[in-house]
Amino acid sequence: MYLSGRCGLWGDAVTDMTIAKIAVSGITYSLDRPYDYSIPRELLGAVEPGKRVIVPFSRGNRPAEGIVLALARESAFEKLKPVTAVMDEESLLSPEALKLAVWMHERFFCTVFEAVKAMLPAGLWYKNGKRRVGDKTIDMVALAIPAEEAMEESARKARKAPQQAELLRVLGEVGRVSAKELRDFTGASAQSLKALEKAGLVSVEAETVFRKPERYEEERLPSPELTEDQQAAFEGLKKLSGEGVGAALLFGVTGSGKTTVYIRLIEELLKEGKSSILLVPEIALTPQMLRTFSSHFGDDIAVMHSSLSMGERYDEWKRIRQGMARVVIGTRSAVFAPVHNLGIIIIDEEQEDTYKSENSPRYHARDIAKYRCAQAKARLLLGSATPDVESRYFAGIGKYDFFTLPARFNDQALPAVEIVDMKRELRRGNGGSISEFLRCELEKNIAASEQSILFLNRRGTNKLITCVECGYTYRCPRCSVSLTYHSYSRKLMCHYCGYTRPLDENCPECGGILNYIGAGTQKIEEELSALFPGVGILRMDTDTVGPAGGHDALLCRFRDENIPIMVGTQMVTKGLNFENVTLVGVISADQSLYTGDYRSGERTFSLITQVIGRSGRFVRPGRAVIQTFTPDNQVIRQAAAQDYESFYASEIALRRLQDTPPFTELLTVTVSGTDESHVLKCASDVRFALSSGLRGKGDIRILGPAPLAVVKVNNRYRYRVILCAPPGSRLRRLVSDVVISFSSDKQYRDVSIYADSNPSD
């Protein structure tokens, strides 16, 4: 256990607690444990669990941040260093949140402090001794005398001090108001206001206000009416929501109205005084979801995602913590929102990889949600039109409750889908990215003033540039990938490390002619501009979306200006709801199908099905075009038919044969470093150590060491060892011990090593 039995109980009085158990920042996983510190007399009562403190650490006694985990009356060590300072006036983390941090340490192979940093907004942290973000305050002005006296004083000052007189007159009418609004309304100077304050006629007090993200002032709507299928799902989920811990899967075709069910569930829980968290996979989905929910819940909503400013994120966190917002909408990190009386966590599009963190702590939002719901006796609801194969399996065996929405909410038919064989297009002399059939369909939509969405999960202009004479290709000097060409800046870019360089006119090796291979969203935009001169085209990818509010701005432009065509990466594949979109085109359906990952079929099916579902969601019928070089591929055929159950049946059978999740759990140990041979040697030794620890356990396979799909990123080589073990085989301790052992080995001080479970890469 991370915390020993010597720690005081969470509810103990602190008067006789003189020892603090502290998780310290800036240490490696191998050194992570609660460190004992004495509490000086002057800090007794100020040092409490959940507060951050400054402590001396290591032999040099360097000042380090720490989080107080618990208090104790005694320590196993005789000489303890004292806590230097307390950074917070009140505890930032509840006892439940601290327990979650310790659980994350044990499950996700991270330090407790890394878990704490994932829970708290960036604005709470310090830089150079100062908080990154402070509270925002405004000066509020009020009369310090009765209104009648103020009016009399205003009349006396009218000739000699007209600005002061006007200030008193307005305050006598409106009462308390902000200093800025008062000066703007009256035209008075700051000096006039100060003179009144000095004379004791008005009082000026600083008041803390919240920096809120843009809110949509939508007209408040009544509870949405439910279809028969939605009502059945709602009643089942509502009943289950009152039964305590559990999880449910809501499987509904695209456009079936899962969001409507979410709204009704949240309404019911609000009546019971309970809070809700709704997770979405992409920031691009937040504006539309927020607009919909604002029309039902108004200012009871808080938003949490990375596109907010640091101050906005900090203030939204405060609003949630103070109980001022009981409905939280956000991306992955919103799962940590400090809501009171949690009733439900809803994970929309639960199959998405974006719910898995790629940096320490390498958590999956679904696992955090399960833990929080279990602790709070709340309900977890997973929703999707293409559920994660593991979630669907758990629903099938009864581990999750299962509800379905088999039809669109307006009884509209699913889009008609056409598969186009791009090999035939090549034989006909069409070497472009847009097939003749798709071009004709786009022409029909343009003529009918209807909108189209084209999906290609690759940004830039060309994926690869090579010399036709010597075969030279531009590759990233720091990563084992080719550089992608971006024509708008005429530069080559690595999408892994950000390296850029200008493009040469000719081959830098032999002076030959350069050949441009593979299209990205920018290239598709250029082709469309050539095919349809003068037609509005909007591109949505990470190159065009700004850091703050860019998603919403582009989506609003597409809707409000009725732009005929939108081209985008996977940002456009899910959650978008546009009345005038009647055509969807998948430019290259094969792109994610042959990556060598056991999830490649699932990802491809999900992407295609989700983007097809953007078409024909309202009155007008929808249609879709899938372009592929493998038209007979089973996954593409199943996606075109939008037949999830058929896909799931074949995929789960394949998983059973491969012995991959959900039939096993994959625990991985990844080694990285600048010397490839040394990294490979360390990974080989890791495999041997794991094998030694698994003697006598014949049902566990060890794979590797093997290079990752992209073996070198930013000059660091990466190799991985994989344990394929039955679920619940309790091998995390063995993996943790191996990671700690090798991290402490001086022989491998030049490599880094970390563990993960069921990684997404």
Side-chain angles (χ1 to χ4, degrees):
M1 293 294 290
Y2 191 89
L3 292 175
S4 70
R6 293 190 302 273
C7 298
L9 298 175
W10 298 107
D12 285 353
V14 299
T15 51
D16 60 344
M17 298 288 190
T18 58
I19 307 299
K21 303 283 184 178
I22 295 173
V24 181
S25 67
I27 61 176
T28 62
Y29 176 68
S30 60
L31 296 176
D32 190 35
R33 64 178 184 271
Y35 289 86
D36 288 2
Y37 284 87
S38 65
I39 304 175
R41 183 177 300 275
E42 63 273 15
L43 295 181
L44 284 173
V47 177
E48 295 177 320
K51 287 186 178 181
R52 292 170 302 174
V53 293
I54 300 294
V55 294
F57 190 73
S58 73
R59 292 182 180 177
N61 287 329
R62 64 173 177 85
E65 282 187 37
I67 187 83
V68 181
L69 300 174
L71 301 178
R73 295 181 177 87
E74 58 183 22
S75 171
F77 305 96
E78 293 184 4
K79 293 184 179 181
L80 298 178
K81 298 176 183 179
V83 174
T84 305
V86 180
M87 302 173 68
D88 304 306
E89 294 182 3
E90 58 181 349
S91 295
L92 299 179
L93 296 176
S94 66
E96 293 76 20
L98 289 172
K99 291 176 184 177
L100 172 59
V102 173
W103 179 80
M104 290 174 65
H105 160 82
E106 296 172 351
R107 182 170 180 82
F108 301 119
F109 310 102
C110 65
T111 69
V112 170
F113 206 83
E114 286 172 336
V116 168
K117 291 205 77 169
M119 293 182 191
L120 297 176
L124 276 168
W125 300 99
Y126 287 75
K127 186 176 183 180
N128 299 326
K130 293 184 178 181
R131 271 266 298 273
R132 289 178 178 268
V133 173
D135 292 333
K136 181 180 179 180
T137 60
I138 60 172
D139 289 334
M140 297 297 293
V141 185
L143 289 172
I145 58 176
E148 294 80 4
E149 292 182 26
M151 290 302 183
E152 294 173 1
E153 189 67 28
S154 174
R156 284 193 291 269
K157 290 178 175 287
R159 292 185 61 186
K160 292 186 177 181
Q163 287 190 358
Q164 293 181 29
E166 182 65 7
L167 288 169
L168 288 170
R169 186 189 67 79
V170 172
L171 282 171
E173 293 178 354
V174 302
R176 195 165 181 264
V177 68
S178 75
K180 183 179 185 305
E181 289 178 318
L182 182 61
R183 291 198 306 270
D184 289 346
F185 183 77
T186 62
S189 65
Q191 288 77 9
S192 296
L193 184 59
K194 284 185 179 179
L196 291 176
E197 183 184 15
K198 188 174 182 181
L201 299 176
V202 302
S203 63
V204 181
E205 296 179 350
E207 181 178 287
T208 301
V209 295
F210 293 110
R211 289 154 289 208
K212 290 185 180 180
E214 181 182 354
R215 286 288 191 266
Y216 302 99
E217 299 299 330
E218 302 289 330
E219 181 182 352
R220 293 296 289 268
L221 299 176
S223 296
E225 294 185 6
L226 302 180
T227 65
E228 186 177 339
D229 290 332
Q230 289 171 338
Q231 186 68 34
F234 168 68
E235 292 294 339
L237 290 164
K238 184 174 68 169
K239 178 182 176 183
L240 293 166
S241 295
E243 294 179 358
V245 183
L249 174 63
L250 178 60
F251 166 46
V253 299
T254 54
S256 58
K258 293 182 289 295
T259 302
T260 304
V261 177
Y262 302 160
I263 290 170
R264 288 293 300 273
L265 282 170
I266 292 172
E267 285 179 341
E268 289 295 316
L269 290 168
L270 285 175
K271 293 175 184 176
E272 299 172 14
K274 295 184 177 180
S275 301
S276 305
I277 298 174
L278 170 63
L279 302 184
V280 294
E282 298 271 0
I283 294 172
L285 298 183
T286 313
Q288 282 205 353
M289 192 71 79
L290 181 59
R291 188 175 286 110
T292 300
F293 276 69
S294 293
S295 65
H296 291 278
F297 305 111
D299 206 40
D300 215 356
I301 292 175
V303 185
M304 300 185 76
H305 58 72
S306 59
S307 281
L308 301 181
S309 70
M310 198 176 291
E312 288 171 339
R313 274 181 278 174
Y314 169 57
D315 283 352
E316 289 290 85
W317 179 85
K318 283 200 304 179
R319 287 181 64 232
I320 298 166
R321 190 165 179 265
Q322 293 174 15
M324 301 173 65
R326 296 181 296 163
V327 181
V328 180
I329 300 175
T331 48
R332 180 178 64 219
S333 60
V335 75
F336 298 112
V339 297
H340 297 280
N341 199 11
L342 177 64
I344 192 169
I345 297 179
I346 301 170
I347 305 182
D348 193 34
E349 309 293 356
E350 61 92 25
Q351 80 285 351
E352 289 297 321
D353 288 338
T354 50
Y355 287 123
K356 170 77 173 177
S357 172
E358 296 179 356
N359 301 308
S360 188
R362 294 174 175 83
Y363 68 91
H364 196 293
R366 185 169 51 228
D367 293 328
I368 303 295
K370 285 180 181 178
Y371 180 90
R372 290 199 66 183
C373 289
Q375 294 298 306
K377 291 183 169 51
R379 191 72 186 172
L380 172 62
L381 175 58
L382 311 174
S384 180
T386 55
D388 182 276
V389 168
E390 294 176 49
S391 297
R392 179 64 184 85
Y393 174 76
F394 292 143
I397 63 174
K399 189 173 180 180
Y400 294 167
D401 297 303
F402 189 41
F403 303 92
T404 62
L405 299 175
R408 287 189 159 185
F409 74 96
N410 54 6
D411 293 326
Q412 189 76 0
L414 291 170
V417 181
E418 183 74 23
I419 297 177
V420 176
D421 186 353
M422 294 302 287
K423 296 193 298 295
R424 291 184 180 179
E425 293 292 313
L426 287 175
R427 288 194 290 267
R428 292 171 181 168
N430 179 10
S433 302
I434 308 296
S435 65
E436 182 64 21
F437 184 84
L438 179 55
R439 184 187 65 79
C440 292
E441 293 299 306
L442 288 168
E443 283 181 347
K444 293 177 185 177
N445 259 32
I446 294 169
S449 296
E450 296 176 0
Q451 293 175 289
S452 308
I453 294 177
L454 301 184
F455 162 63
L456 175 64
N457 206 23
R458 179 188 294 146
R459 60 191 174 103
T461 306
N462 298 98
K463 177 63 178 173
L464 180 68
I465 295 182
T466 182
C467 176
V468 297
E469 297 182 24
C470 71
Y472 172 83
T473 59
Y474 286 94
R475 299 189 66 80
C476 176
R478 302 196 290 247
C479 308
S480 54
V481 294
S482 58
L483 297 175
T484 300
Y485 177 53
H486 292 253
S487 62
Y488 71 92
S489 59
R490 196 169 170 75
K491 285 186 177 180
L492 295 156
M493 177 184 293
C494 174
H495 290 169
Y496 283 85
C497 71
Y499 169 85
T500 60
R501 60 155 294 173
L503 177 67
D504 303 293
E505 293 294 332
N506 298 96
C507 174
E509 291 288 315
C510 70
I513 298 172
L514 295 174
N515 186 28
Y516 299 75
I517 302 172
T521 49
Q522 193 177 344
K523 178 68 173 177
I524 301 301
E525 183 183 26
E526 293 172 2
E527 287 190 30
L528 290 168
S529 297
L531 287 172
F532 308 110
V535 172
I537 300 167
L538 185 144
R539 176 162 55 92
M540 190 169 179
D541 54 30
T542 52
D543 293 328
T544 61
V545 171
H551 302 85
D552 196 23
L554 287 174
L555 295 174
C556 286
R557 277 193 59 209
F558 182 65
R559 181 195 64 218
D560 298 339
E561 300 175 23
N562 200 37
I563 295 174
I565 303 173
M566 178 163 66
V567 182
T569 54
Q570 67 177 29
M571 294 178 183
V572 304
T573 62
K574 59 190 87 70
L576 303 184
N577 204 28
F578 295 108
E579 184 173 354
N580 201 32
V581 171
T582 57
L583 174 65
V584 162
V586 180
I587 301 300
S588 178
D590 312 289
Q591 188 171 299
S592 59
L593 196 54
Y594 304 106
T595 60
D597 183 355
Y598 76 92
R599 291 191 181 97
S600 60
E602 180 181 0
R603 290 194 182 108
T604 301
F605 178 88
S606 178
L607 280 172
I608 295 175
T609 305
Q610 292 282 352
V611 74
I612 287 173
R614 302 312 106 204
S615 175
R617 296 174 69 89
F618 289 86
V619 178
R620 301 181 183 92
R623 60 202 194 283
V625 179
I626 299 175
Q627 297 185 165
T628 173
F629 285 93
T630 56
D632 294 323
N633 182 276
Q634 184 183 27
V635 172
I636 291 175
R637 288 283 175 184
Q638 290 165 336
Q642 297 156 87
D643 186 355
Y644 175 82
E645 289 300 333
S646 172
F647 163 76
Y648 169 74
S650 56
E651 181 69 13
I652 200 68
L654 183 62
R655 297 275 185 98
R656 186 177 278 106
L657 287 172
Q658 293 175 329
D659 206 20
T660 51
F663 302 104
T664 57
E665 180 180 26
L666 303 182
L667 295 174
T668 66
V669 179
T670 304
V671 182
S672 70
T674 55
D675 185 337
E676 186 175 15
S677 60
H678 203 212
V679 169
L680 184 55
K681 181 180 185 304
C682 179
S684 299
D685 289 347
V686 166
R687 179 193 170 104
F688 179 78
L690 290 172
S691 299
S692 300
L694 290 172
R695 283 176 184 157
K697 298 182 179 179
D699 57 343
I700 298 173
R701 292 181 297 154
I702 303 181
L703 305 177
L708 271 69
V710 179
V711 64
K712 185 172 74 166
V713 172
N714 212 8
N715 288 323
R716 295 186 69 85
Y717 294 90
R718 308 180 301 166
Y719 281 78
R720 176 172 287 167
V721 179
I722 303 174
L723 282 180
C724 301
S729 53
R730 302 182 182 276
L731 292 179
R732 277 183 167 76
R733 173 52 57 192
L734 169 64
V735 173
S736 176
D737 290 343
V738 168
V739 170
I740 290 172
S741 173
F742 278 82
S743 298
S744 307
D745 193 335
K746 294 181 179 180
Q747 178 186 184
Y748 294 118
R749 64 177 59 183
D750 60 334
V751 302
S752 61
I753 180 170
Y754 67 85
D756 195 5
S757 61
N758 296 331
S760 58
D761 61 345

